[in-house]
Amino acid sequence: MSQNTEPPQQSAARPARRDVSDLFSGGRLIAIPRRAARREQLLVHLAETHFSAERTYTEPEVNEALRTVHEDCSALRRYLITAGLLTRTRDGRSYRRSTTTL
């Protein structure tokens, strides 16, 4: 019964922020979006689903997590850093999910 009222609310609020399912096929990212706003949606999704805010990751661990969705893990990693969704130490040894949200 509550589903009758929730989908209209979610369609107005959620897709702009979270619905990135059309970017994936069989669990793999089809392509990294060129449009900045759409890429940001993807990056938020990746940060929230692949990285815990309570844990520190090494670069190989970040690459491995990102490689599960796309072969160009380096580009995704750079985009996540640039967007401020992942932070890394100066020496590049450890990465953390940012606690700030977009």
Side-chain angles (χ1 to χ4, degrees):
M1 290 183 148
S2 65
Q3 287 185 4
N4 290 342
T5 58
E6 286 186 32
Q9 292 171 346
Q10 287 181 348
S11 66
R14 304 280 287 180
R17 189 76 169 151
R18 307 267 288 148
D19 188 14
V20 293
S21 59
D22 61 318
L23 298 175
F24 291 86
S25 176
R28 300 280 298 166
L29 181 61
I30 298 165
I32 300 171
R34 290 181 187 213
R35 284 191 10 226
R38 191 69 171 136
R39 187 171 51 240
E40 183 178 295
Q41 292 172 344
L42 170 67
L43 296 173
V44 169
H45 169 78
L46 293 176
E48 290 177 351
T49 58
H50 288 78
F51 302 101
S52 169
E54 293 81 34
R55 148 152 215 246
T56 300
Y57 297 86
T58 64
E59 185 172 305
E61 289 173 320
V62 171
N63 291 343
E64 183 179 331
L66 295 174
R67 221 176 260 121
T68 65
V69 294
H70 196 269
E71 62 277 354
D72 195 351
C73 61
S74 299
L76 290 173
R77 187 183 68 242
R78 282 191 303 272
Y79 283 132
L80 285 163
I81 299 278
T82 302
L85 296 166
L86 280 185
T87 60
R88 69 176 166 208
T89 56
R90 274 181 105 79
D91 62 8
R93 286 186 167 192
S94 63
Y95 293 74
R96 290 191 63 92
R97 187 173 118 196
S98 177
T99 54
T100 61
T101 57
L102 296 174

